């Protein structure tokens, strides 16, 4: 299967999720072997996804933590 | 394929102590703390789309410690989950409802811990309760909580890359330029990148935002995300693809400008 650059940009997620047919998979692999621009695109998609995993979370404020703990204790006492 | 049943009523009732001292009035124990495992969970091992249903031993151990009143376990639970819960709640109920939804979710989680069986990750179990709480909140406040995931998914014609960047045969005319940063760590070392991503996630349509949050930010497996949001696997993939593509474009815009 012949895959264009434009088509490849639409197949990246399905490929990552293992949802391409073997024919599509082969077409993608062949395209990526010769197209450095699409390899750049693929790399940028991977970097984006990996960076998302590393987004720092907001710190949990002590007051919130304390309020939740109090709530937890009350619930627990009520249940016991 | 997998749908969470939103109307299962079994399991409600026990421990529904009205807790007037909580900041948000405690309501009756939600149904979702009952049979939380969606139908069809066992026996799906043959399909790659089957939900991850291995026993979550660490989570079961944590829940046991919680039930025994272990304060360190509580710390761990809250530290792990509160911020992710707020992020998801903001997506589902907006800034207006997020606090309330999270508060109610915690109440339901504390009441329901005793029924946690480890058939999905604790995080997934909590997120599912949160999704249901958000829908209940939406009904109560007469606001539309985006159950419109499907609608988002139907915007399937929205391309990953601006079509103007390709010629008539589908070849790049305006190809991506390699970024200087070649590792996610390198990217995130630039503190503003984290902020750019946060802002761009907020700007995604709700369905894409929820899926990207759960899959990429929280690292939930695909089957569990479908369960949490009550969407099909195919729908989830479309939303994920659109969301990720939009975020890449945003980073590209940021990293290659002037």
């Amino acid at each position: 299967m012949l895959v264009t650059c434009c088509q490849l940009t639409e197949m990246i997620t399905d490929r990552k999720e293992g949802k391409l047919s073997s024919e599509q998979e082969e077409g993608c692999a062949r395209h990526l072997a010769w197209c450095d621009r699409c390899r750049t695109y693929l790399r940028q998609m991977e970097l984006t996804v990996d960076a998302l995993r590393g987004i720092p979370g907001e710190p949990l404020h002590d007051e919130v933590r304390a309020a939740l703990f109090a709530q937890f204790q009350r619930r627990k006492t009520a249940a016991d | 394929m997998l749908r969470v049943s939103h109307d299962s009523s079994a399991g409600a009732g026990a421990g529904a102590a009205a807790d007037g001292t909580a900041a948000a009035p405690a309501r009756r124990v939600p149904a979702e703390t009952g049979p939380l495992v969606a139908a069809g969970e066992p026996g799906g091992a043959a399909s790659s789309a089957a939900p991850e249903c291995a026993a979550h031993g660490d989570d079961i151990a944590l829940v046991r410690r919680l039930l025994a009143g272990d304060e360190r376990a509580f710390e761990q639970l809250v530290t792990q989950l509160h911020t992710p819960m707020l992020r998801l709640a903001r997506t589902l109920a907006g800034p207006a409802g997020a606090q309330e939804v999270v508060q109610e979710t915690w109440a339901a989680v504390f009441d329901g811990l005793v029924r946690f069986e480890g058939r999905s990750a604790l995080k997934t179990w909590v997120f599912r309760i949160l999704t249901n709480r958000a829908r209940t909140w939406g009904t109560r406040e007469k606001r539309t909580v985006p159950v419109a995931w499907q609608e988002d998914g139907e915007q399937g014609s929205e391309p990953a890359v601006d079509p103007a960047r390709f010629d008539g045969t589908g070849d790049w005319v305006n190809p991506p330029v390699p970024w200087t940063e070649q590792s996610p760590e390198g990217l995130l070392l630039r503190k503003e990148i984290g902020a750019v991503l946060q802002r761009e996630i907020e700007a995604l349509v709700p369905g894409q935002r929820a899926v990207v949050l759960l899959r990429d930010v929280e690292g939930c497996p695909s089957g569990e995300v479908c369960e949490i949001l009550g969407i099909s696997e195919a729908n989830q993939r479309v939303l994920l693809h659109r969301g990720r593509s939009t975020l890449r474009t945003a980073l590209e815009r940021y990293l290659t400008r002037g």
Side-chain angles (χ1 to χ4, degrees), chain A residues 1 13 61:
Chain A
M1 175 188 176
T13 305
H61 293 297

Side-chain angles (χ1 to χ4, degrees), chain A residues 4-14 16-19 31 34-35 37-38 40-41 43-45 47-60 64-65 68-76 78-80, chain B residues 19 21 26 48 66-67 69 71 74-75 78-79 82-83 90 103 106-107 110-111 159-161 166 169-170 172 175-179 181-184 188 198 201 215-219 233 237 241-242 244-245 247-248 251:
Chain A
T4 67
C5 299
C6 180
Q7 286 167 341
L8 188 118
T9 63
E10 297 296 353
M11 293 163 87
I12 283 177
T13 305
D14 284 355
K16 199 102 198 141
E17 303 275 296
K19 294 294 171 189
H31 183 103
W34 62 259
C35 183
R37 295 165 305 176
C38 281
T40 298
Y41 185 85
R43 180 73 193 124
Q44 292 181 354
M45 280 292 271
L47 277 171
T48 304
V49 173
D50 291 346
L52 286 169
R53 193 76 180 98
I55 288 186
E58 302 154 48
L60 180 60
V64 177
R65 191 189 305 267
L68 282 172
F69 189 61
Q71 190 183 357
F72 177 62
Q73 296 282 48
R74 281 196 304 272
R75 297 257 157 192
K76 225 190 130 311
D80 285 344
Chain B
D19 186 351
T21 52
S48 61
L66 283 165
L67 291 171
E71 204 167 323
F74 176 82
E75 283 285 327
V78 168
T79 308
H82 190 72
T83 303
R90 273 193 219 117
Q103 184 108 24
W106 274 122
F110 297 153
D111 286 339
V161 177
F166 302 102
T169 64
W172 290 103
V177 177
W179 295 340
E181 285 82 0
Q182 282 299 313
S183 72
L188 288 169
Q198 294 264 26
I201 292 172
R215 282 296 303 277
D216 292 340
V217 181
E218 306 303 343
E233 211 268 328
R237 251 183 301 130
H241 182 64
R242 300 287 158 233
R244 284 176 174 177
S245 303
L247 294 176
R248 188 214 64 90
L251 278 187

Side-chain angles (χ1 to χ4, degrees), chain A residues 17-46:
Chain A
E17 303 275 296
K19 294 294 171 189
L20 293 186
S21 68
S22 53
E23 211 189 7
Q24 288 172 319
E25 179 61 50
E26 199 197 315
C28 275
R30 207 168 329 124
H31 183 103
L32 283 167
W34 62 259
C35 183
D36 57 352
R37 295 165 305 176
C38 281
R39 280 200 302 276
T40 298
Y41 185 85
L42 176 64
R43 180 73 193 124
Q44 292 181 354
M45 280 292 271
E46 290 169 349

